C-alpha cells in the first residue's frame, strides 16, 4: 500500500488504508495462533514454497513496485517481517536452494533457481464450521439446521405488552427447508450474519423494500488434481501470474488443490466454476511444473467456485470504502447488529466484536454479561486428541492408518464415537466408496450431528464432492441407503434427496465442464 502511486496523490487516505490493513493482519496472526492451539486435530502448519525462476519480475506482483525485486532478496525480507508479526510463533521462513527444492518438490521445472519458503496455517474448514456450532450447543446455545429466515419481526409482533418502539426488531420467523414448518423466534436482540447474502437479510429488515447493497461478492475458483502432482506436506505459491493474481498450489486430503484469489461476481447460493477460470488455473500451474508433470483438462478431478463477501458499513457515511476486514455496525432504527466480511481466520474475533457491539446497544443484557470467554474454550474434539491418536485407532479397531488419520484429524477425541458405530453394525466399517478413507459409520454418526441431506454428507461431512466428482456420484446411492435406514426416509423422500444431490453435483466440474454451466448456456 505504501509503495503505490496513491501515496503521492492521497497520502492521508493511503496511510489510513495501510493502518487498517496492518491491524487486520495482526488480528489474523493472533487468531491463527489461537486456532492452531485450540483445535490441533483440525489444523496444521504447511510450508509454502515461492519458486524463483528469474531475478526481476515485471509487472510487479500485487502491483507493488518493490516486489519486482522480490527474487533479489525482497521476498526473504518480507517473509521474515511476516514471521516477526507472528512473534515467531510459526516455523521460520527460509531460503531453499535448487537441489534441495527439487528433491523435496520433484514436480517443479529444472529452470527454478531457488525458493523462499514460508509457513501458513491450514484447517479443515467444513469440520471447523460444524465444530463451532456443536461447541456452542454444548455451552447452551440453541441451534437449528436447514432453516431460513422468512421475516424479521418487530417489537409489536413479538411482545404481548404495548410495544415501546415498533421499529425495533426483536425476533424472526423461520422456516424449516426440509419439513416446511415455520415458527417464530423471540429475542432481546438480533444479530445479522448473512455472509454474501447479508443484503438479502437487510431487505427483510426493510420490510422487503429495495436497499442500497453494501456487500460485494468475490469468487474464488478451485481445481483439484491428483495427489502425485504435489508433495504430501509442501505447497507452492505463484506470486507472478500473468494477470497479477496469486495462485496457491497445496496438498489437501491426499490430492492437489489449486486455487486463485478473488474476482468480482454476482451472488448466488450455487456458484459454478467457469471454463475460463479453470483453463487459466491450469495454464498458470504448468508454468512451474516439469514437462513430465504438465496438467491438462482431463486431470481435473473436481472444480468448484466459492463466494466471499467484501462488505461496507450500511450505516456509515457516504463514500466509505469496502473492507477486506470485517464490518460490525448497528442500525439505529431497528437496533439490529450487522456483521459481515472478514476472513475464516478471524471468525472468533468477528463474533466477539459483534457481541460487544450488541451489548453496547442493550444495557439490560450488558448488565448480566461477563467478559468474552471464547479464547479459553476448546472446540469439539480437542479433548481426547493427541498426536498418536490415529495409530491408537488403527491398532485398537483394525483400521488402516489412512482411515485412522482421517478419523483423528476430523473428529479428534470424538473419533472413538464413530468407531462405536461400526462396532455395533460391523458392515458400516466398509468405505463409502473405494479409494477414499470415509467409512459408512460416519453417515449415521453425522445424522446424530444433524446431517439431514445427502448433499451435506458428500460436501461437508466428507469432502467427496470437492475431491472427486465421479466418486461423489458413485457414492450417492450408498449414502442414500444408509441415511434412509438411519432417518426412516420414505421411498419418495429418498428419491427427492437423490435428485437434490445430483443437482448439487451439477454445479461442480470434473474432467468435463459443470453440467449446470451447460444447462445455463442452453437456456440462454
Amino acid at each position: 500500500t505504501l509503495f503505490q502511486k496513491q501515496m503521492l496523490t492521497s497520502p492521508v487516505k493511503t496511510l489510513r488504508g495501510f493502518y487498517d490493513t496492518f491491524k487486520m493482519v495482526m488480528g489474523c496472526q493472533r487468531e491463527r495462533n489461537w486456532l492452531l492451539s485450540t483445535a490441533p486435530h483440525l489444523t496444521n502448519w504447511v510450508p509454502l514454497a515461492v519458486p524463483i525462476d528469474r531475478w526481476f519480475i515485471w509487472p510487479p506482483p500485487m502491483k507493488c513496485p518493490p516486489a519486482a525485486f522480490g527474487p533479489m532478496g525482497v521476498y526473504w525480507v518480507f517473509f521474515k517481517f511476516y514471521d516477526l508479526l507472528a512473534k515467531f510463533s510459526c516455523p521460520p521462513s527460509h531460503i531453499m536452494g535448487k537441489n534441495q527444492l527439487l528433491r523435496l518438490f520433484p514436480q517443479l521445472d529444472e529452470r527454478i533457481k531457488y525458493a523462499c519458503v514460508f509457513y501458513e496455517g491450514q484447517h479443515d474448514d467444513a469440520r471447523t464450521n460444524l465444530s463451532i456450532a456443536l461447541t456452542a450447543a454444548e455451552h447452551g446455545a440453541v441451534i437449528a439446521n436447514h432453516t431460513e429466515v422468512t421475516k424479521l419481526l418487530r417489537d409489536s409482533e413479538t411482545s404481548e405488552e404495548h410495544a415501546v418502539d415498533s421499529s425495533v426488531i426483536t425476533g424472526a420467523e423461520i422456516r424449516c427447508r426440509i419439513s416446511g414448518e415455520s415458527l417464530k423466534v423471540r429475542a432481546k436482540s438480533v444479530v445479522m450474519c448473512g455472509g454474501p447474502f447479508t443484503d438479502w437479510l437487510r431487505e427483510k429488515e426493510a420490510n422487503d423494500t429495495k436497499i442500497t447493497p453494501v456487500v460485494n461478492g468475490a469468487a474464488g475458483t478451485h481445481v483439484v488434481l491428483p495427489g502425485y502432482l504435489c508433495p504430501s506436506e509442501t505447497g507452492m505459491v505463484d506470486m507472478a501470474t500473468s494477470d497479477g493474481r496469486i495462485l496457491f498450489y497445496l496438498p489437501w486430503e491426499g490430492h492437489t488443490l489449486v486455487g486463485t484469489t478473488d474476482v468480482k461476481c454476482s451472488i448466488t447460493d450455487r456458484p459454478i466454476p467457469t471454463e475460463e477460470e479453470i483453463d487459466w488455473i491450469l495454464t498458470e500451474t504448468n508454468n512451474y511444473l516439469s514437462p513430465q508433470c504438465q496438467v491438462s483438462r482431463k486431470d481435473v478431478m473436481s472444480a468448484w467456485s466459492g463466494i466471499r463477501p467484501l462488505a461496507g458499513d450500511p450505516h456509515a457515511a457516504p463514500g466509505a470504502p469496502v473492507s477486506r476486514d470485517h464490518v460490525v455496525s448497528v442500525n439505529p432504527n431497528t437496533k439490529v447488529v450487522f456483521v459481515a466480511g472478514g476472513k475464516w481466520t478471524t471468525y472468533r474475533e468477528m463474533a466477539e466484536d459483534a457481541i460487544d457491539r450488541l451489548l453496547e446497544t442493550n444495557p439490560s443484557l450488558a448488565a448480566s454479561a461477563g467478559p468474552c470467554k471464547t479464547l479459553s474454550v476448546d472446540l469439539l474434539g480437542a479433548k481426547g486428541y493427541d498426536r498418536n491418536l490415529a495409530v491408537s485407532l488403527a491398532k485398537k479397531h483394525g483400521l488402516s492408518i489412512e482411515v485412522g488419520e482421517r478419523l483423528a484429524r476430523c473428529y479428534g477425541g470424538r473419533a472413538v464415537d464413530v468407531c462405536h458405530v461400526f462396532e455395533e453394525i460391523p458392515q458400516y466399517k466398509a468405505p463409502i466408496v473405494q479409494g477414499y478413507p470415509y467409512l459408512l459409520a460416519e453417515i449415521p454418526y453425522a445424522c446424530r450431528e444433524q446431517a439431514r441431506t445427502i448433499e451435506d454428507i458428500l460436501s461437508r461431512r466428507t469432502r467427496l464432492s470437492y475431491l472427486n466428482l465421479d466418486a461423489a456420484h458413485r457414492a450417492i446411492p450408498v449414502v442414500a441407503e444408509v441415511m434412509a435406514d438411519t432417518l426412516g426416509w420414505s421411498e419418495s423422500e429418498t428419491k427427492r434427496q437423490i435428485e437434490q444431490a445430483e443437482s448439487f453435483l451439477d454445479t461442480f466440474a470434473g474432467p468435463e465442464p459443470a453440467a449446470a454451466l451447460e444447462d445455463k448456456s442452453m437456456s440462454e
Side-chain angles (χ1 to χ4, degrees):
T1 301
L2 295 180
F3 296 99
Q4 294 180 348
K5 63 181 181 181
Q6 286 85 350
M7 184 63 182
L8 298 176
T9 57
S10 305
V12 175
K13 183 179 179 181
T14 303
L15 286 172
R16 187 183 297 118
F18 172 78
Y19 173 75
D20 291 342
T21 301
F22 183 81
K23 186 172 67 171
M24 178 189 70
V25 171
M26 292 300 294
C28 287
Q29 296 279 12
R30 180 185 63 252
E31 296 299 313
R32 181 186 68 176
N33 292 340
W34 171 79
L35 188 58
L36 282 158
S37 63
T38 198
H41 58 300
L42 297 172
T43 59
N44 61 276
W45 290 108
V46 57
L48 300 174
V50 180
I52 305 299
D53 66 345
R54 71 199 94 161
W55 295 111
F56 183 78
I57 304 173
W58 196 264
M62 300 170 287
K63 299 180 180 179
C64 177
F69 300 94
M72 300 182 193
V74 173
Y75 283 164
W76 180 82
V77 173
F78 172 80
F79 292 131
K80 282 301 178 184
F81 180 66
Y82 194 62
D83 292 348
L84 174 64
L85 294 181
K87 300 179 180 178
F88 299 102
S89 59
C90 57
S93 59
H94 57 276
I95 298 293
M96 184 175 291
K98 177 177 180 176
N99 291 336
Q100 184 182 1
L101 176 66
L102 293 180
R103 283 196 298 269
L104 176 68
F105 211 133
Q107 297 88 347
L108 292 178
D109 190 76
E110 288 278 349
R111 77 177 190 281
I112 304 300
K113 302 179 183 300
Y114 75 96
C116 291
V117 180
F118 70 103
Y119 288 78
E120 261 300 355
Q122 187 177 43
H123 76 134
D124 183 340
D125 58 334
R127 187 64 194 179
T128 300
N129 188 35
L130 185 60
S131 297
I132 294 167
L134 294 174
T135 302
E138 283 196 335
H139 286 78
V142 178
I143 62 177
N145 201 11
H146 296 289
T147 56
E148 64 177 347
V149 172
T150 56
K151 182 181 181 182
L152 292 173
L153 303 176
R154 311 277 162 176
D155 196 16
S156 57
E157 298 172 282
T158 60
S159 176
E160 296 179 358
E161 301 176 357
H162 177 69
V164 176
D165 188 344
S166 60
S167 65
V168 175
I169 289 176
T170 54
E173 187 172 297
I174 63 174
R175 182 179 70 88
C176 176
R177 300 184 71 173
I178 294 178
S179 69
E181 296 179 2
S182 296
L183 71 152
K184 293 182 178 180
V185 179
R186 297 176 178 176
K188 294 182 178 179
S189 294
V190 173
V191 180
M192 191 183 294
C193 317
F197 308 103
T198 295
D199 284 331
W200 179 85
L201 282 173
R202 291 180 57 236
E203 286 187 358
K204 296 292 182 185
E205 182 187 22
N207 287 324
D208 290 321
T209 58
K210 288 293 183 180
I211 47 90
T212 301
V214 295
V215 176
N216 296 315
T221 298
H222 305 76
V223 170
V224 169
L225 303 170
Y228 55 72
L229 291 170
C230 184
S232 61
E233 296 183 354
T234 303
M236 174 179 72
V237 177
D238 180 5
M239 292 189 171
T241 62
S242 60
D243 67 1
R245 286 185 283 170
I246 295 176
L247 188 76
F248 294 90
Y249 188 92
L250 307 168
W252 183 60
E253 300 288 333
H255 295 66
T256 301
L257 175 64
V258 191
T260 185
T261 47
D262 309 323
V263 293
K264 291 182 179 179
C265 70
S266 57
I267 294 174
T268 172
D269 62 346
R270 285 286 188 263
I272 305 170
T274 65
E275 285 300 295
E276 180 183 8
E277 279 290 281
I278 293 173
D279 290 341
W280 182 89
I281 288 173
L282 296 178
T283 300
E284 297 295 329
T285 297
N286 283 331
N287 287 337
Y288 287 98
L289 295 181
S290 70
Q292 300 92 330
C293 297
Q294 295 287 295
V295 296
S296 65
R297 191 64 182 77
K298 66 181 181 181
D299 293 310
V300 175
M301 303 177 73
S302 184
W304 73 95
S305 180
I307 297 176
R308 186 163 70 90
L310 301 178
D313 187 344
H315 311 118
V322 170
S323 175
R324 293 188 74 87
D325 198 2
H326 64 273
V327 173
V328 179
S329 183
V330 178
N331 187 321
N333 298 317
T334 65
K335 307 302 181 185
V336 168
V337 177
F338 164 101
V339 55
K343 299 175 180 292
W344 234 126
T345 313
T346 57
Y347 83 85
R348 191 213 61 82
E349 181 184 44
M350 291 173 64
E352 181 178 356
D353 289 350
I355 297 303
D356 286 347
R357 193 66 182 273
L358 181 151
L359 295 176
E360 292 175 5
T361 66
N362 196 317
S364 62
L365 283 177
S368 58
C372 179
K373 298 180 179 179
T374 49
L375 281 172
S376 60
V377 176
D378 290 337
L379 292 183
L380 189 80
K383 184 178 180 181
Y385 173 79
D386 66 71
R387 64 182 183 276
N388 289 316
L389 178 59
V391 176
S392 299
L393 293 171
K395 292 177 65 176
K396 182 177 180 180
H397 299 284
L399 301 170
S400 68
I401 191 61
E402 291 79 15
V403 172
E405 289 175 347
R406 148 70 188 172
L407 295 177
R409 287 193 56 77
C410 180
Y411 302 99
R414 296 293 181 98
V416 293
D417 296 333
V418 180
C419 295
H420 291 161
V421 176
F422 64 69
E423 285 177 345
E424 295 175 3
I425 309 176
Q427 59 265 37
Y428 282 179
K429 194 176 181 179
I432 295 175
V433 63
Q434 290 298 324
Y436 288 87
Y438 304 118
L439 302 183
L440 291 173
E442 296 184 63
I443 300 173
Y445 184 79
C447 292
R448 297 177 190 175
E449 294 183 336
Q450 298 195 25
R452 290 296 181 269
T453 64
I454 298 173
E455 173 191 330
D456 198 356
I457 299 294
L458 296 178
S459 61
R460 291 173 287 276
R461 311 312 174 106
T462 71
R463 310 314 299 273
L464 277 173
S465 61
Y466 295 99
L467 294 173
N468 188 324
L469 185 59
D470 177 65
H473 276 292
R474 287 186 280 115
I476 287 179
V478 179
V479 175
E481 182 180 355
V482 177
M483 292 191 79
D485 184 61
T486 303
L487 299 174
W489 286 348
S490 64
E491 185 176 336
S492 60
E493 174 63 13
T494 303
K495 181 180 178 181
R496 186 185 71 85
Q497 287 275 352
I498 290 174
E499 290 174 350
Q500 286 189 344
E502 290 174 341
S503 176
F504 167 68
L505 292 183
D506 283 347
T507 63
F508 288 72
E512 303 294 334
L517 189 63
E518 294 182 342
D519 293 343
K520 182 179 179 182
S521 299
M522 291 178 64
S523 64
E524 292 175 350

